[in-house]
Amino acid sequence: MSMKNKLLTTLILSSSALTITSMINHCIKLSATSKNKSEKKDNHFFHWRLGDIFYKKYGTGKPILLIHDLHASSNSYQWDLIISSLSKVYTVYTIDLLGCGQSEKPYLTYTNYLYVQLISDFIKSEIGHRTNVIAVGNSGNFVTMACSNSPELFNRIILVNPDSILTCAQTPGRYTKFYKEFLDLPIIGTLLYHIAVSKKSLRKFAKEYAFYNPHLIKKSYIDTCYENAHLGLSPKSIYASVHCNYTNCNIITSLKKIDNSIYLIGGSDLYLEEELLKEYLSYNSAIEYTLIHETKYYPHMEKPNEFLSTVFLFLS
């Protein structure tokens, strides 16, 4: 076979492989979103400059904003077990951050500054009052920065299993930028994303990191996360941005500056969690913390009553 024919054969095979992969990606997305698990009733949208932000509002009283962690499958479903009790005392707002859940998912690089602006703008526009905030995981970074920039928007802050100070400070390097460009590829990058947010991967994350008791991992939770990870124009953009550290920012200066009351809640069975929380105290001695026994990343889902008792005690 001549070199010309070999090259032509290679091109045909490569083209066929890409076509098949594209079809697989399309089928995965259709299958993931076909059951329509996510609720769309009684909802609100904040029409922000970069996209519509999905949120819900419950109860009456002083406002409290609940912000989920920042992962491709994350959404406000994780607050369902505590909303009823909180809404008897507070006006509760749950929000799907840009790129997550049922909010818009534009094709762009998501950054720490973007979410700092989103949270501040949401409080100004939709809540209109100084508010208490509960944020999980890496979303705590955004709340910390937003409070440092605009303390008049925030009352008391609760951070649930926040990232370590070192993790917050990690910024994109040469190789992570290359990895993001690879993930941004429309066919191969999308396939890698679908593998990363498969039901198998979501269950593994839940069992190994999110929940201490695997029997508390409901099928409805996995199904909702799986669907939300495939909704929208570019759901993989948030995955690429988080994994390549574009959403990180050094928060040490902000921690030192904040005068608002901050309380940290950790899962006792996360590795070195107490040491991580004590690190926050070394930069702001006014910060307090507690650990909820036999929980990991989502104590508000594993032990909602104990979590609520801690919240009510701090906010009273």
Side-chain angles (χ1 to χ4, degrees), residues 7-19:
L7 180 59
L8 182 60
T9 301
T10 301
L11 289 174
I12 292 173
L13 291 175
S14 298
S15 178
S16 298
L18 288 174
T19 300

